[in-house]
Amino acid sequence: DIHMTQSPSLLSASVGDRVTLNCKASQNFDENLAWYQQKLGEAPKLLIYKANNLQTGIPTRFSGSGSATDFTLIISSLQPEDVATYFCQQYYSGNTFGAGTKLELK
Amino acid sequence: EVQLVESGGGLVQPGRSLKLSCAASGFTFSNYYMAWVRQAPKKGLEWVATISTSGSRTYYPDTVKGRFTISRDNAKSTLYLQMNSLKSEDTATYYCVRPPFGVQGFFDFWGQGVMVTVSS
């Protein structure tokens, strides 16, 4: 199984900050990676698929990059409504998720 | 608008069974693979099962293989998850999800989730 490691587990940032969330895979794969946002008490929402493709309706301040084993989700200018936990998912071999990064306001 | 509405959750004793349902609307259900993903309390996400468009092919991780059965009724646009021999570690919120590109893929729509608690 491919294991996904997200870092940091907790991130505090201020409104307007550029925020970088990381996801590292235990083995090399192409770009079969997605990012999800989960707000408290809600279901996850798809943000990014195939590493860098923005899902319809998602604000353009969200972007994804990376390949092989290292992937990144960037929020270019943090907004209060972005407070959430973010999960990465590989779908190259089976489906496995990272443990998540909890993003809070400083 | 795509909607996925789960039902059937609740409290169940270890070793017993439970069947979840997911009513889908807003898209042509029979054209899409469907799946279940779960999330244990304050934990991460775990894929549980996927089913092909016709229902002829099903896929499970080892953690539930042999105990859980995914099925669908395309005439009713409804997805099911039959859970047998339940264990305490099956306690989780179960989400009905749509993988737009088949068995190997991300999930573009999620239901609101249904809670399953396995406890004596």
Side-chain angles (χ1 to χ4, degrees):
Chain A
D1 288 0
I2 299 177
H3 184 71
M4 308 301 292
T5 302
Q6 290 188 243
S7 62
S9 56
L10 176 64
L11 180 59
S12 297
S14 300
V15 173
D17 281 355
R18 178 182 174 89
V19 172
T20 301
L21 288 68
N22 302 296
C23 179
K24 188 173 183 66
S26 60
Q27 66 186 72
N28 194 328
F29 59 85
D30 192 9
E31 295 180 327
N32 291 352
L33 184 112
W35 288 95
Y36 300 86
Q37 176 194 65
Q38 185 177 32
K39 296 183 179 180
L40 193 63
E42 298 183 6
K45 177 195 295 185
L46 176 67
L47 300 176
I48 300 283
Y49 62 93
K50 206 163 174 60
N52 57 19
N53 289 267
L54 193 66
Q55 172 68 347
T56 302
I58 301 302
T60 56
R61 64 180 179 273
F62 291 92
S63 64
S65 66
S67 64
T69 61
D70 293 286
F71 299 86
T72 299
L73 174 70
I74 292 174
I75 307 174
S76 60
S77 177
L78 185 67
Q79 300 302 302
E81 60 266 32
D82 300 335
V83 168
T85 299
Y86 293 82
F87 296 96
C88 62
Q89 175 216 0
Q90 69 79 19
Y91 49 92
Y92 175 78
S93 175
N95 290 284
T96 52
F97 294 85
T101 291
K102 185 176 182 179
L103 177 59
E104 62 179 28
L105 287 180
K106 191 180 293 183
Chain B
E1 177 193 6
V2 171
Q3 284 199 319
L4 301 169
V5 180
E6 302 95 338
S7 60
L11 174 63
V12 61
Q13 293 178 329
R16 303 298 292 267
S17 299
L18 199 64
K19 187 172 185 176
L20 306 182
S21 299
C22 169
S25 60
F27 65 104
T28 304
F29 182 74
S30 58
N31 287 352
Y32 288 85
Y33 278 56
M34 293 296 295
W36 291 93
V37 171
R38 69 183 179 184
Q39 185 173 33
K42 300 192 185 302
K43 298 288 188 183
L45 299 160
E46 180 187 18
W47 164 69
V48 171
T50 298
I51 189 167
S52 63
T53 53
S54 67
S56 61
R57 293 184 299 278
T58 56
Y59 309 85
Y60 308 92
D62 290 342
T63 50
V64 307
K65 193 176 296 182
R67 298 189 300 122
F68 288 13
T69 302
I70 188 172
S71 62
R72 64 192 297 161
D73 185 335
N74 285 341
K76 294 182 178 180
S77 296
T78 302
L79 179 72
Y80 303 100
L81 184 67
Q82 176 69 47
M83 304 183 292
N84 298 332
S85 303
L86 282 162
K87 307 175 182 179
S88 58
E89 51 263 43
D90 296 319
T91 294
T93 296
Y94 285 74
Y95 295 101
C96 170
V97 297
R98 189 182 82 167
F101 297 118
V103 62
Q104 286 296 126
F106 55 90
F107 308 114
D108 63 349
F109 286 97
W110 296 60
Q112 85 285 355
V114 62
M115 185 67 198
V116 173
T117 302
V118 183
S119 174
S120 55

